[in-house]
Amino acid sequence: MTFETVSTAKAYGGTQGVYRHDSTATGTPMTVSVYVPPHKEGQRLPVVWYLSGLTCTHANVTDKGEYRRACAELGLIFVAPDTSPRGEGVADDPAYDMGQGAGFYVDATQAPWAPHFGMWSYVTEELPALVATHFPADMDRQSIMGHSMGGHGALTIGLTLPERFRAISAFAPIVAPSQVPWGEKALGGYLGDDRASWRRHDAVALIEDGARVPAMLVDQGDADQFLEEQLKPHLLATACEAAGIDLTLRMQPGYDHSYYFISTFMADHLAWHAERLR
Amino acid sequence: MTFETVSTAKAYGGTQGVYRHDSTATGTPMTVSVYVPPHKEGQRLPVVWYLSGLTCTHANVTDKGEYRRACAELGLIFVAPDTSPRGEGVADDPAYDMGQGAGFYVDATQAPWAPHFGMWSYVTEELPALVATHFPADMDRQSIMGHSMGGHGALTIGLTLPERFRAISAFAPIVAPSQVPWGEKALGGYLGDDRASWRRHDAVALIEDGARVPAMLVDQGDADQFLEEQLKPHLLATACEAAGIDLTLRMQPGYDHSYYFISTFMADHLAWHAERLR
């Protein structure tokens, strides 16, 4: 399989790269951003996965996430995939919350999405194998984080694969897609009308159905325009409390849904991950 | 004069804003990015000016510069103007290194540029008055920095107004525009063929002609594609040595001309400025 370097640049003593490869999971080329911090020859480093939100590519967090300084100090590889397959021949929706840029980290089963929208398999199987092959990664030490739709991805993937991910955190995640407009549209479109099939892709439902992790960290701005209608972090708090999961939910006064918010708390999250990846 | 808020967002406890106003110096609307760190009611804060390079608007450093954390910690206001007037009716050049996005921080005297390209007056007179009016700025404590063409702007403005700017630094600056292709084209176009008129807009010539400041900090990547032909930092080193100016010129191995380079050393520069702004 081809794994092509689009660009690399030195940053904080390490290497910020952008790579492109043909994906079996999506049947398209996919682009991914990987930061490798300064390290000793032969050293293997823990891997933090960052899943992005609606409309984003790999580039948004790469440009605006301000993660490199902390990753360099803490010795973390940072992997930021795209949010969907893209290109001609890939199904799309006129709205921003479905189709290209909005894969919701599921394997779609419904037309017209099923042929390319295999983002669950891409992020949990195909891309990890490529990261293990092409970077100095210690795949026994992985963690996962994300923003908004990518927070949903981080929570659902982390809850499903607790043996793989030692830490899970999120910025302004969609915690219960089955209960909010973004999620009802996307899960209905990608997975069909049978709401039972949605539960594997809903963090609150996963916890209600028995998924367990030791701890999670979530930051949420209280000036976030999507807070009330789409995000509803109290649903996660309630589920975690009932399940005995140690959720740290921090309501951050005055912060919105943007990368200004994410970048402010990025170093905090990475330090929290690094503690659990030691 | 109108001074309109385009957007504000909380970041690192402070406020990242983007503002728009009609400019007398350029005869166009201008957009500017201003970060105000967390501070006490009534407190006045020092101001760091950041001048951007070719092709940039206010947005590049705002998105990719990674200055907010250090500005929040050090208590610095960070002002990032656009690099030229823009819009219909404003002269332009088909190349990226002249016209819109390439004002070179001069007041153009030549056709077709003279009507709008008043970036020297804009950055040194008009915008400072607006910053003093609209932000909690201590205008007795200012410093200036920039990148590439903006490094040229920071050096020439800082050398011309040493009583105003307590610190001057630059990332990969054009130090001697009269001696390199970018500068010969721009200064020739904006100021005309009389090379004597260029000397006020050439850092090396300014120093040769007697301009003095106590110290300057310059970082330059040795993998910068523009190093040999356009930047030539050794010319600045030679001029500073002859003039007794304490230049710290750091050649940074492996770094290119991008914001990956700038962001890596941004916090260093801001700490250096903050020491001199106390």
Side-chain angles (χ1 to χ4, degrees):
Chain A
M1 182 180 295
T2 61
F3 193 83
E4 176 196 344
T5 300
V6 176
S7 66
T8 60
K10 190 167 178 181
Y12 290 97
T15 302
Q16 175 63 61
V18 176
Y19 307 91
R20 196 169 170 82
H21 65 93
D22 292 325
S23 164
T24 307
T26 68
T28 64
M30 292 294 288
T31 305
V32 59
S33 159
V34 181
Y35 177 70
V36 177
H39 61 282
K40 295 199 182 75
E41 180 79 29
Q43 192 184 356
R44 295 267 152 187
L45 304 159
V47 178
V48 178
W49 293 81
Y50 177 91
L51 304 183
S52 295
L54 288 167
T55 76
C56 289
T57 68
H58 70 285
N60 301 67
V61 71
T62 305
D63 288 350
K64 303 180 184 178
E66 303 194 11
Y67 57 82
R68 282 176 288 270
R69 175 179 165 152
C71 285
E73 290 174 357
L74 299 166
L76 304 173
I77 292 176
F78 190 94
V79 179
D82 202 347
T83 54
S84 79
R86 296 176 189 275
E88 279 186 52
V90 176
D92 203 4
D93 183 275
Y96 72 94
D97 57 3
M98 184 93 197
Q100 298 188 34
F104 267 83
Y105 306 101
V106 302
D107 285 345
T109 59
Q110 305 297 303
W113 313 106
H116 295 292
F117 284 75
M119 288 301 291
W120 179 274
S121 295
Y122 175 66
V123 167
T124 65
E125 294 171 23
E126 187 176 22
L127 191 53
L130 290 167
V131 167
T133 302
H134 294 283
F135 300 95
D138 177 357
M139 301 305 279
D140 290 332
R141 289 188 292 160
Q142 296 183 64
S143 69
I144 192 162
M145 68 196 313
H147 171 234
S148 195
M149 176 185 74
H152 147 73
L155 295 177
T156 54
I157 291 172
L159 284 161
T160 304
L161 301 169
E163 71 292 348
R164 185 187 300 179
F165 296 104
R166 296 200 200 171
I168 308 171
S169 77
F171 305 98
I174 304 170
V175 303
S178 311
Q179 302 184 49
V180 303
W182 277 342
E184 291 184 303
K185 175 177 177 181
L187 298 184
Y190 294 135
L191 303 177
D193 291 338
D194 177 11
R195 284 178 170 249
S197 71
W198 300 7
R199 296 186 69 81
R200 293 198 303 118
H201 295 287
D202 181 305
V204 165
L206 278 164
I207 294 168
E208 289 171 354
D209 293 349
R212 292 295 178 269
V213 294
M216 296 192 289
L217 170 64
V218 171
D219 274 311
Q220 172 65 58
D222 76 1
D224 185 324
Q225 62 177 311
F226 302 113
L227 175 57
E228 297 298 329
E229 188 179 9
Q230 306 282 7
L231 304 176
K232 298 184 184 290
H234 62 279
L235 297 176
L236 183 66
T238 303
C240 284
E241 191 169 18
I245 294 173
D246 180 14
L247 171 68
T248 302
L249 170 60
R250 307 191 300 193
M251 295 303 295
Q252 300 289 1
Y255 286 90
D256 65 15
H257 199 67
S258 73
Y259 271 92
Y260 295 122
F261 159 63
I262 299 169
S263 60
T264 298
F265 299 103
M266 178 63 84
D268 269 12
H269 281 237
L270 290 168
W272 192 85
H273 284 240
E275 265 180 42
R276 284 153 184 82
L277 291 165
R278 278 211 192 92
Chain B
M1 182 180 295
T2 61
F3 192 83
E4 176 196 343
T5 300
V6 176
S7 66
T8 60
K10 190 167 177 180
Y12 291 96
T15 301
Q16 175 63 61
V18 175
Y19 307 91
R20 196 169 170 83
H21 65 93
D22 292 325
S23 164
T24 308
T26 68
T28 65
M30 293 293 287
T31 305
V32 59
S33 159
V34 180
Y35 178 70
V36 177
H39 61 281
K40 295 199 182 76
E41 181 78 29
Q43 192 183 358
R44 296 267 151 189
L45 304 159
V47 178
V48 178
W49 293 81
Y50 177 91
L51 303 183
S52 295
L54 288 168
T55 79
C56 289
T57 68
H58 71 285
N60 301 67
V61 72
T62 305
D63 288 349
K64 303 179 184 178
E66 302 194 12
Y67 57 81
R68 281 175 289 269
R69 175 178 165 152
C71 285
E73 290 173 358
L74 299 165
L76 304 172
I77 292 176
F78 190 95
V79 179
D82 202 348
T83 55
S84 79
R86 298 176 189 273
E88 279 187 52
V90 176
D92 203 3
D93 183 276
Y96 72 95
D97 56 3
M98 185 93 197
Q100 297 188 33
F104 268 84
Y105 306 100
V106 303
D107 285 344
T109 58
Q110 305 297 303
W113 313 106
H116 295 292
F117 284 75
M119 288 301 291
W120 179 275
S121 295
Y122 175 65
V123 168
T124 65
E125 293 171 24
E126 186 176 23
L127 191 54
L130 289 168
V131 167
T133 302
H134 294 282
F135 300 95
D138 178 357
M139 301 305 279
D140 290 332
R141 291 188 290 160
Q142 297 183 63
S143 70
I144 192 161
M145 66 196 316
H147 170 233
S148 195
M149 175 185 75
H152 147 74
L155 296 176
T156 55
I157 291 172
L159 283 160
T160 304
L161 301 168
E163 72 292 347
R164 184 187 301 180
F165 297 105
R166 295 200 199 172
I168 308 171
S169 77
F171 305 98
I174 305 170
V175 303
S178 311
Q179 301 184 49
V180 303
W182 277 342
E184 290 184 303
K185 175 178 177 182
L187 297 185
Y190 294 134
L191 303 178
D193 291 338
D194 176 13
R195 283 177 171 250
S197 72
W198 301 7
R199 294 185 69 81
R200 293 199 303 117
H201 295 287
D202 180 306
V204 165
L206 278 164
I207 294 168
E208 289 170 354
D209 292 348
R212 292 294 179 268
V213 293
M216 296 193 288
L217 170 64
V218 171
D219 273 312
Q220 172 64 59
D222 75 0
D224 185 325
Q225 62 177 312
F226 302 112
L227 175 57
E228 297 298 329
E229 188 180 9
Q230 307 281 8
L231 304 176
K232 299 184 185 290
H234 62 279
L235 297 175
L236 183 65
T238 302
C240 284
E241 191 169 20
I245 293 173
D246 180 14
L247 170 68
T248 302
L249 170 60
R250 307 189 300 192
M251 295 303 294
Q252 299 290 1
Y255 286 90
D256 66 15
H257 199 67
S258 73
Y259 271 93
Y260 295 122
F261 158 64
I262 298 169
S263 60
T264 298
F265 299 103
M266 178 62 84
D268 269 13
H269 281 236
L270 290 168
W272 193 84
H273 284 240
E275 265 180 44
R276 284 155 185 80
L277 290 165
R278 278 212 193 91

